Short mmCIF file of all heavy atoms in Angstrom, two decimals:
data_model
loop_
_atom_site.label_atom_id
_atom_site.label_comp_id
_atom_site.label_asym_id
_atom_site.label_seq_id
_atom_site.Cartn_x
_atom_site.Cartn_y
_atom_site.Cartn_z
N LYS A 235 -83.79 -232.05 -41.66
CA LYS A 235 -84.01 -230.62 -41.90
C LYS A 235 -84.62 -229.95 -40.67
O LYS A 235 -84.26 -228.82 -40.33
CB LYS A 235 -84.94 -230.45 -43.11
CG LYS A 235 -84.30 -230.82 -44.43
CD LYS A 235 -85.31 -230.67 -45.57
CE LYS A 235 -84.71 -231.10 -46.90
NZ LYS A 235 -85.68 -231.00 -48.01
N ILE A 236 -85.54 -230.65 -40.01
CA ILE A 236 -86.16 -230.11 -38.80
C ILE A 236 -85.12 -229.96 -37.70
O ILE A 236 -85.07 -228.94 -36.99
CB ILE A 236 -87.31 -231.02 -38.34
CG1 ILE A 236 -88.43 -231.01 -39.38
CG2 ILE A 236 -87.84 -230.57 -36.97
CD1 ILE A 236 -89.54 -232.01 -39.10
N GLN A 237 -84.26 -230.96 -37.55
CA GLN A 237 -83.19 -230.90 -36.55
C GLN A 237 -82.25 -229.73 -36.83
O GLN A 237 -81.85 -229.01 -35.90
CB GLN A 237 -82.41 -232.22 -36.55
CG GLN A 237 -81.24 -232.24 -35.56
CD GLN A 237 -80.41 -233.50 -35.71
OE1 GLN A 237 -80.60 -234.28 -36.65
NE2 GLN A 237 -79.49 -233.72 -34.79
N LYS A 238 -81.89 -229.55 -38.09
CA LYS A 238 -80.98 -228.46 -38.45
C LYS A 238 -81.61 -227.11 -38.16
O LYS A 238 -80.93 -226.17 -37.73
CB LYS A 238 -80.61 -228.57 -39.93
CG LYS A 238 -79.64 -227.50 -40.42
CD LYS A 238 -79.28 -227.70 -41.87
CE LYS A 238 -78.30 -226.63 -42.36
NZ LYS A 238 -77.95 -226.82 -43.79
N LYS A 239 -82.93 -227.00 -38.38
CA LYS A 239 -83.62 -225.72 -38.18
C LYS A 239 -83.81 -225.39 -36.72
O LYS A 239 -83.61 -224.24 -36.30
CB LYS A 239 -84.98 -225.78 -38.89
CG LYS A 239 -85.78 -224.49 -38.78
CD LYS A 239 -85.11 -223.36 -39.51
CE LYS A 239 -85.92 -222.08 -39.43
NZ LYS A 239 -85.29 -220.96 -40.17
N PHE A 240 -84.20 -226.38 -35.90
CA PHE A 240 -84.60 -226.09 -34.52
C PHE A 240 -83.59 -226.56 -33.47
O PHE A 240 -83.63 -226.08 -32.34
CB PHE A 240 -85.96 -226.72 -34.24
CG PHE A 240 -87.08 -226.15 -35.05
CD1 PHE A 240 -87.55 -226.80 -36.18
CD2 PHE A 240 -87.65 -224.93 -34.72
CE1 PHE A 240 -88.58 -226.28 -36.94
CE2 PHE A 240 -88.68 -224.39 -35.47
CZ PHE A 240 -89.14 -225.06 -36.59
N GLY A 241 -82.75 -227.51 -33.80
CA GLY A 241 -81.78 -227.99 -32.82
C GLY A 241 -81.99 -229.45 -32.45
O GLY A 241 -83.01 -230.07 -32.80
N ASP A 242 -81.03 -230.00 -31.73
CA ASP A 242 -81.06 -231.42 -31.37
C ASP A 242 -82.20 -231.78 -30.43
O ASP A 242 -82.55 -232.96 -30.30
CB ASP A 242 -79.72 -231.83 -30.74
CG ASP A 242 -78.56 -231.76 -31.72
OD1 ASP A 242 -78.83 -231.76 -32.94
OD2 ASP A 242 -77.40 -231.70 -31.28
N TRP A 243 -82.78 -230.80 -29.79
CA TRP A 243 -83.85 -231.09 -28.82
C TRP A 243 -85.09 -231.70 -29.48
O TRP A 243 -85.93 -232.29 -28.78
CB TRP A 243 -84.26 -229.82 -28.05
CG TRP A 243 -84.87 -228.74 -28.92
CD1 TRP A 243 -84.22 -227.71 -29.52
CD2 TRP A 243 -86.24 -228.61 -29.28
NE1 TRP A 243 -85.10 -226.93 -30.23
CE2 TRP A 243 -86.36 -227.45 -30.10
CE3 TRP A 243 -87.39 -229.32 -28.98
CZ2 TRP A 243 -87.57 -227.02 -30.62
CZ3 TRP A 243 -88.61 -228.89 -29.51
CH2 TRP A 243 -88.69 -227.76 -30.32
N VAL A 244 -85.19 -231.61 -30.80
CA VAL A 244 -86.35 -232.18 -31.47
C VAL A 244 -86.26 -233.70 -31.56
O VAL A 244 -87.23 -234.36 -31.96
CB VAL A 244 -86.52 -231.60 -32.90
CG1 VAL A 244 -86.62 -230.09 -32.85
CG2 VAL A 244 -85.38 -232.05 -33.82
N LEU A 245 -85.12 -234.27 -31.17
CA LEU A 245 -84.91 -235.71 -31.25
C LEU A 245 -84.96 -236.37 -29.88
O LEU A 245 -84.52 -235.79 -28.87
CB LEU A 245 -83.56 -236.03 -31.89
CG LEU A 245 -83.30 -235.51 -33.31
CD1 LEU A 245 -81.92 -235.94 -33.77
CD2 LEU A 245 -84.38 -235.98 -34.27
N ASN A 246 -85.47 -237.60 -29.85
CA ASN A 246 -85.36 -238.44 -28.67
C ASN A 246 -83.95 -239.04 -28.63
O ASN A 246 -83.18 -238.91 -29.59
CB ASN A 246 -86.39 -239.56 -28.72
CG ASN A 246 -87.81 -239.06 -28.57
OD1 ASN A 246 -88.12 -238.29 -27.66
ND2 ASN A 246 -88.69 -239.48 -29.49
N ASP A 247 -83.63 -239.71 -27.55
CA ASP A 247 -82.30 -240.31 -27.41
C ASP A 247 -82.01 -241.33 -28.50
O ASP A 247 -80.85 -241.54 -28.88
CB ASP A 247 -82.16 -240.97 -26.03
CG ASP A 247 -82.14 -239.96 -24.89
OD1 ASP A 247 -81.84 -238.77 -25.17
OD2 ASP A 247 -82.43 -240.34 -23.75
N ASP A 248 -83.05 -241.98 -29.02
CA ASP A 248 -82.85 -243.00 -30.05
C ASP A 248 -82.83 -242.42 -31.46
O ASP A 248 -82.73 -243.16 -32.45
CB ASP A 248 -83.92 -244.08 -29.95
CG ASP A 248 -85.32 -243.54 -30.23
OD1 ASP A 248 -85.47 -242.32 -30.45
OD2 ASP A 248 -86.28 -244.35 -30.23
N GLY A 249 -82.91 -241.09 -31.58
CA GLY A 249 -82.85 -240.46 -32.88
C GLY A 249 -84.18 -240.24 -33.55
O GLY A 249 -84.26 -239.64 -34.63
#
Side-chain angles (χ1 to χ4, degrees):
K235 290 177 182 178
I236 294 172
Q237 178 186 9
K238 181 178 180 180
K239 181 66 179 181
F240 295 100
D242 294 340
W243 64 268
V244 303
L245 302 180
N246 292 310
D247 292 339
D248 64 357

